[in-house]
Amino acid sequence: MNTIKERFKNINIFELMKVRSSVLTLHIFNVIDTEPLNNLFLTVYGNKQCSDICNLLDDNIADILLAKYYEKWERLYDEINDKLPLNNVVENYTENSKANLNNNITENNTTNNNKSGYNSDTMLPDDETVEKNNTINTHENSNEKSYTKTVKKASDIYLKKYRIDFLQKMNICDIIITDINTVLCLPIYIDEN
């Protein structure tokens, strides 16, 4: 039995899948370079024994991997490439207030020059002056406020947070080479000694 390194030493299985998927357009390989991915796969799983699928032709192996993982890898690509749209709730608020204030103040100032008679306790007016002061205060106040408030839906914020957490915790390359490992490798390592 061959090891993965021996079987795929001259074949980049990821590049082969990229070429074979040109009809289906597997987008993940437009984001991830196939050469480093192939080197990573051979480094991590190179000493494992090949499964029976490795006895098939290279194109058939690529087709089997695409048939098994095309949908999954496309969803991963969508997660990477998604702009994470959020639905916005827009709240418009307008406040109008108008206040008119009219103050009419009338003041009468009366000045009496009173005199008292002889042996009388009563004061008698001698001269009286009346001054009228009219004060009219008019104050008009008009105030208008308006603003637009944009609110994000809580469910969309949670979904965005979930996607960001997923992308931070999961290495897409690790997911892809682990998928390839489950098909091409037996769970046995060959000791090189």
Side-chain angles (χ1 to χ4, degrees), residues 109-174:
N109 290 335
T110 304
T111 305
N112 294 330
N113 293 326
N114 294 335
K115 296 183 180 177
S116 70
Y118 182 69
N119 288 337
S120 172
D121 290 336
T122 308
M123 301 288 280
L124 296 173
D126 179 41
D127 179 7
E128 183 175 272
T129 307
V130 176
E131 287 183 26
K132 283 190 174 185
N133 292 329
N134 286 332
T135 305
I136 298 173
N137 291 332
T138 302
H139 181 70
E140 190 172 311
N141 185 14
S142 180
N143 192 2
E144 189 171 317
K145 298 177 187 175
S146 68
Y147 70 87
T148 302
K149 182 179 179 182
T150 303
V151 180
K152 309 285 186 197
K153 283 185 180 177
S155 61
D156 290 337
I157 292 172
Y158 175 76
L159 180 61
K160 181 177 181 179
K161 183 183 178 315
Y162 172 78
R163 286 179 175 171
I164 290 171
D165 287 346
F166 171 78
L167 292 173
Q168 286 175 341
K169 293 176 184 171
M170 300 303 294
N171 184 328
I172 304 303
C173 295
D174 287 344

Side-chain angles (χ1 to χ4, degrees), residues 3-190:
T3 63
I4 292 294
K5 274 185 193 174
E6 293 167 349
R7 171 64 176 91
F8 295 103
K9 67 180 172 186
N10 297 322
I11 301 163
N12 182 338
I13 191 68
F14 299 97
E15 185 64 33
L16 189 58
M17 283 190 293
K18 181 179 179 179
V19 171
R20 299 289 290 174
S21 72
S22 62
V23 175
L24 300 172
T25 314
L26 184 61
H27 293 99
I28 195 75
F29 293 130
N30 295 336
V31 178
I32 300 171
D33 190 12
T34 59
E35 188 63 35
L37 191 61
N38 191 61
N39 291 338
L40 180 64
F41 174 68
L42 293 177
T43 301
V44 174
Y45 298 109
N47 290 334
K48 280 194 160 188
Q49 278 188 319
C50 293
S51 67
D52 291 337
I53 291 175
C54 292
N55 295 331
L56 300 174
L57 296 174
D58 298 337
D59 288 346
N60 292 346
I61 295 171
D63 291 340
I64 289 170
L65 293 170
L66 287 172
K68 185 164 176 76
Y69 295 113
Y70 175 82
E71 295 277 333
K72 178 181 180 181
W73 293 342
E74 277 298 293
R75 284 194 309 270
L76 286 173
Y77 173 79
D78 290 342
E79 287 295 325
I80 292 170
N81 229 21
D82 195 5
K83 306 237 182 323
L84 304 175
L86 296 178
N87 296 327
N88 297 330
V89 177
V90 177
E91 176 184 301
N92 294 320
Y93 175 79
T94 304
E95 177 183 306
N96 295 318
S97 64
K98 190 172 186 178
N100 290 325
L101 179 62
N102 292 324
N103 289 333
N104 292 328
I105 301 171
T106 303
E107 294 178 357
N108 291 329
N109 290 335
T110 304
T111 305
N112 294 330
N113 293 326
N114 294 335
K115 296 183 180 177
S116 70
Y118 182 69
N119 288 337
S120 172
D121 290 336
T122 308
M123 301 288 280
L124 296 173
D126 179 41
D127 179 7
E128 183 175 272
T129 307
V130 176
E131 287 183 26
K132 283 190 174 185
N133 292 329
N134 286 332
T135 305
I136 298 173
N137 291 332
T138 302
H139 181 70
E140 190 172 311
N141 185 14
S142 180
N143 192 2
E144 189 171 317
K145 298 177 187 175
S146 68
Y147 70 87
T148 302
K149 182 179 179 182
T150 303
V151 180
K152 309 285 186 197
K153 283 185 180 177
S155 61
D156 290 337
I157 292 172
Y158 175 76
L159 180 61
K160 181 177 181 179
K161 183 183 178 315
Y162 172 78
R163 286 179 175 171
I164 290 171
D165 287 346
F166 171 78
L167 292 173
Q168 286 175 341
K169 293 176 184 171
M170 300 303 294
N171 184 328
I172 304 303
C173 295
D174 287 344
I175 293 170
I176 293 172
I177 65 169
T178 302
D179 290 343
I180 301 293
N181 171 49
T182 58
V183 174
L184 298 183
C185 303
L186 295 176
I188 302 169
Y189 283 95
I190 300 294

